Structure formats: structure tokens, C-alpha cells
Amino acid sequence: MFDTPILSKDINYDHVYDPAEDTFLLMDALESEHNNGKFSSDKTTISLEIGSGSGMISSFIIKHKIFGKNNFHLSSDINVLAVNETSKTINLNEHTSRYDTLLMSLLSNIKDKSLDYLVFNPPYVPSDEVPVLSSQDRLSVALEGGKDGMEITNILIHQLSKKLSENGCAYILFCASNKPLEYKEKINHEYNMDLIEKRKCGWEVLSIYRITRK
Amino acid sequence: MKLLTTNFIKCSVKACDSNMTSFPLRYDNQCELELNYEDDESIIEKSYQFLVGILDKIDWDALLKVCADLGNNDLPPNKPLLTQDSLLSLNDNERLILKQLFNLLINTEIVNGSMKCDSCEHVYLIKNGIPNLLLPPHLS
Ligand SMILES: C[S@@+](CC[C@H](N)C(=O)[O-])C[C@H]1O[C@@H](n2cnc3c(N)ncnc32)[C@H](O)[C@@H]1O
Ligand SMILES: [Zn+2]
């Protein structure tokens, strides 16, 4: 088992998402895909984690060369405090300059066909609407995903097919109220959606799907 | 923001999506750069494979343009022809090119400054090494 990255002691979890079961499930899914030889070890690849929060998952990807030894990894968040923590966490865990961090929403700034791998633990909890980030409240945007908890994920998946490279793929977390099986049918004309990992966490059932273009 | 990243970032204003001039962004010539040049050949050698793969992926003209914006006109006008096979027998000139690319792409960072979209003129700021690509509500 790959060890879990360390986090700095002074992260303010009132403003940055504290890694939880969802975070760990996504790392486990990436580790098992890595161990199953899903990622070429020599190819030069570009990856992006959207919504990197504390930077735990991005550090895991970089430290354990999940996407191969010739990877360049980008991390983004819409919360500037999360972006700051992400670079701190990456530096704490690995001495490298093959990464970058961006204050950015989803994928609209990314040049078409650029991404070989995309990773996203989105705000997935159902809510009346998608919250707006403010300096008083930076955590609601980490959790609340609007109708069925799917509004953010749905926008992302619409952008995805243009941004992925030829054989690119995305790893995205869903909870049961996101109705992933129904969603899979809905996007079936454009994407394959395969279950990689599933776990009961308290009263939630979380799953990680790999999404590829048809 | 690493120089390599500028090769993957464009304007996100909807109207610019199909406009060729929204990539690459135009970097302000006052941008403050930080250079962490690596001289240790053995470290650079470990990145040869990576660099050759990156060469294949990058848009050379966009890189030339961003470098020119920032006052660097040292790059050859055409993308160097290097393949994984050519790594088996590199000449001095090729080693020099790889070293130059390594230092330029991942060891040169824009720490403060701004970049502008040539299509809609929106200005994005870079602060403490982090580009702010978020759009104000009226544009997003
Ligand atoms: C559930 S948290 C996951 C954080 C971290 N990746 C982890 O697994 O611990 C979701 C993250 O997505 C960010 N986020 C929310 N909306 C976003 C958007 N439109 N674009 C980019 N990031 C977003 C939040 O700020 C938050 O850091
Ligand atoms: Zn624009």
C-alpha cells in the first residue's frame, strides 16, 4: 500500500476541506488502477486534479508517480486558500518542479485535447442551489452540488470530451444521491462510465467511476 | 506559474472559445520571473524522456510567443526534432537544447504579473506564483 501524504499542521479546516472518506476512496481507486497497469509508466502525460482542497490527492499522485514517471501534474481549486495549501502539501511530500497550481473553475481555461488524466472529488451533496464562494464561507462550495448534488459534476462532464487527449480518462467520485447508474445511461451516447471502487461510509455509499470518451 | 503551464491555458470567456487569439494569453512584459536553474546534468538527464514527450505535446509557436512577451528570444524558430530514439545518441547541441528546455519549462516561474486575452482583452492576474483564472460574475 502506498502511504498517505502528510499535511501541514496549520491548515485551517474552517476554510479548506478536511480530507475524509471520499478523499481516501479516490486515492485507493487511483492506486488500484496504477497497480493494474492502467497508466503507462514511460509516456509523458499531463494530469489535472480539479478541486484539490488540502492537496492530499495531488500529493499522492505526485509522490507515488501514479500517472507514470514522466507526468506533469496540475492542481486547481476555486478557493485560493485551498490552492495555497495544495502547493504547501505537495512541497512537504516531494521535491519536484513537475507540477503547477491554478486558481480556476472546472475546465474552461484548459486548451482542448490537453489532459491525459483528470481527477475530481466534487462537491456532491444535494442542495437547493450551488453556493457562491465568499470570504466568510469557503466550505459550502466544497460540499454542496445543487440538484441531486450533480450540477458541478454535470458541467464538468459536458466540458470533458473536448479537453481530454485522444486516450484520456477521468476519475470522478459519486455518492448514491447522485444516482450514478441513471447518469451513466444519460451520458451513454458519449462516454463509457466504469465503476472502479465502491464503499459504504457511514450512511453514505461512495463510488469512483472512470469516464472515457466513446 | 511555470512556463510549461502557459502552453495549456487559454481565456475562458464564452465568446472567446472559438476565437484563435484566446490562446496563448499575452503575458505582460513587466511580469516578475523566478529562475531556479538546474545545472546538475545528472538531474536533467533523468528528465530527458519527459522532455522529449513534452516537446511532442507543446504548441511551439505558442511557446515562442509567450517567451517573446517575457523578453526571451533565444529559442529556435522551429520545434527541435528530438525523439525517444535520438536520446540513445545525443550530440552536444541536443544536450544543450534539452537543458535549455528543462530550465525554461519547469524551472522558470512567473511569480507576479498579468496576462491578457487578445480576443476580449480580459486581464488575468498572477500573484505569488498562482494565476487567477476565475472570471467576475458578469463574464462567467
Ligand atoms: C469535496 S472537496 C475535495 C477536496 C480534496 N480534493 C479532497 O479530496 O480532500 C471539493 C473541492 O472542490 C472545490 N470546488 C468546488 N467547486 C469548484 C469548481 N467549480 N472548480 C474547481 N474547484 C471547485 C472546493 O473548493 C473543494 O476544495
Ligand atoms: Zn477572452
Side-chain angles (χ1 to χ4, degrees):
Chain A
M1 266 221 1
F2 289 147
D3 53 347
T4 307
I6 48 171
L7 296 174
S8 85
K9 301 256 181 304
D10 56 11
I11 300 184
N12 184 341
Y13 294 114
D14 293 335
H15 294 295
V16 175
Y17 187 78
D18 194 356
E21 274 96 342
D22 46 359
T23 316
F24 291 101
L25 187 67
L26 194 38
M27 290 193 290
D28 289 348
L30 293 173
E31 181 169 346
S32 88
E33 290 282 277
H34 175 90
N35 290 338
N36 290 335
K38 285 279 191 268
F39 311 127
S40 149
S41 91
D42 290 345
K43 242 181 68 192
T44 295
T45 57
I46 308 284
S47 54
L48 166 68
E49 184 195 3
I50 302 178
S52 56
S54 63
M56 169 83 85
I57 298 175
S58 283
S59 301
F60 184 83
I61 290 169
I62 292 169
K63 179 167 188 210
H64 300 300
K65 304 195 166 49
I66 294 291
F67 297 133
K69 61 181 196 298
N70 294 321
N71 172 245
F72 184 74
H73 182 73
L74 298 166
S75 307
S76 71
D77 207 292
I78 52 168
N79 171 359
V80 68
L81 300 180
V83 180
N84 290 337
E85 290 307 338
T86 295
S87 12
K88 272 171 44 192
T89 305
I90 292 173
N91 285 321
L92 261 180
N93 285 282
E94 185 75 2
H95 176 74
T96 177
S97 45
R98 276 207 222 145
Y99 76 93
D100 214 346
T101 52
L102 317 155
L103 187 57
M104 173 174 90
S105 178
L106 302 179
L107 288 174
S108 28
N109 288 99
I110 298 288
K111 189 177 75 174
D112 291 355
K113 299 197 175 72
S114 301
L115 301 176
D116 298 299
Y117 304 112
L118 179 102
V119 174
F120 192 22
N121 176 10
Y124 56 82
V125 178
S127 59
D128 290 340
E129 49 189 41
V130 173
V132 180
L133 180 102
S134 73
S135 49
Q136 291 82 33
D137 177 12
R138 295 188 165 97
L139 270 192
S140 301
V141 296
L143 302 167
E144 299 173 16
K147 186 169 184 294
D148 292 336
M150 276 299 286
E151 290 189 34
I152 299 293
T153 304
N154 194 35
I155 299 174
L156 170 86
I157 289 179
H158 274 104
Q159 301 176 331
L160 192 61
S161 71
K162 270 174 81 174
K163 307 298 175 175
L164 287 180
S165 69
E166 173 124 18
N167 296 310
C169 67
Y171 292 88
I172 299 176
L173 182 137
F174 293 80
C175 72
S177 15
N178 298 156
K179 304 179 192 147
L181 291 176
E182 267 175 47
Y183 194 70
K184 179 180 163 140
E185 287 309 308
K186 215 169 109 189
I187 62 169
N188 180 41
H189 61 287
E190 200 175 7
Y191 297 102
N192 300 309
M193 195 168 141
D194 299 303
L195 181 66
I196 304 299
E197 203 83 58
K198 187 172 183 169
R199 192 173 295 164
K200 217 169 156 264
C201 305
W203 41 268
E204 271 191 309
V205 181
L206 301 177
S207 49
I208 310 291
Y209 283 83
R210 178 182 57 228
I211 300 182
T212 52
R213 226 180 356 229
K214 282 219 150 131
Chain B
M1 182 187 201
K2 311 254 153 76
L3 258 274
L4 178 54
T5 307
T6 67
N7 215 268
F8 296 104
I9 295 299
K10 65 183 192 69
C11 179
S12 53
V13 171
K14 262 216 181 67
C16 299
D17 208 32
S18 52
N19 196 318
M20 299 287 280
T21 58
S22 68
F23 173 82
L25 296 170
R26 179 182 297 278
Y27 291 76
D28 189 273
N29 63 2
Q30 299 297 312
C31 279
E32 181 193 332
L33 303 181
E34 195 177 284
L35 317 174
N36 301 302
Y37 278 12
E38 182 58 65
D39 265 323
D40 186 336
E41 296 285 342
S42 70
I43 293 185
I44 303 175
E45 271 169 28
K46 289 204 186 86
S47 282
Y48 279 178
Q49 255 194 355
F50 169 75
L51 289 167
V52 169
I54 276 295
L55 261 182
D56 199 37
K57 281 185 185 282
I58 57 181
D59 177 330
W60 191 256
D61 290 336
L63 180 66
L64 286 176
K65 186 170 172 301
V66 171
C67 286
D69 288 349
L70 297 169
N72 175 336
N73 296 301
D74 295 346
L75 286 177
N78 297 310
K79 197 192 269 205
L81 286 170
L82 283 167
T83 61
Q84 298 295 349
D85 285 339
S86 50
L87 290 180
L88 299 172
S89 57
L90 288 174
N91 62 36
D92 286 351
N93 184 41
E94 289 167 333
R95 283 178 191 278
L96 200 67
I97 289 175
L98 285 166
K99 179 173 175 176
Q100 192 184 9
L101 280 175
F102 182 82
N103 282 326
L104 180 74
L105 295 175
I106 62 173
N107 289 332
T108 303
E109 187 146 3
I110 308 173
V111 278
N112 287 301
S114 66
M115 53 218 187
K116 185 168 129 186
C117 170
D118 272 343
S119 153
C120 71
E121 312 235 306
H122 183 69
V123 174
Y124 298 89
L125 298 182
I126 305 166
K127 280 190 204 152
N128 299 318
I130 298 173
N132 181 352
L133 299 158
L134 300 176
L135 293 175
H138 71 279
L139 285 176
S140 54

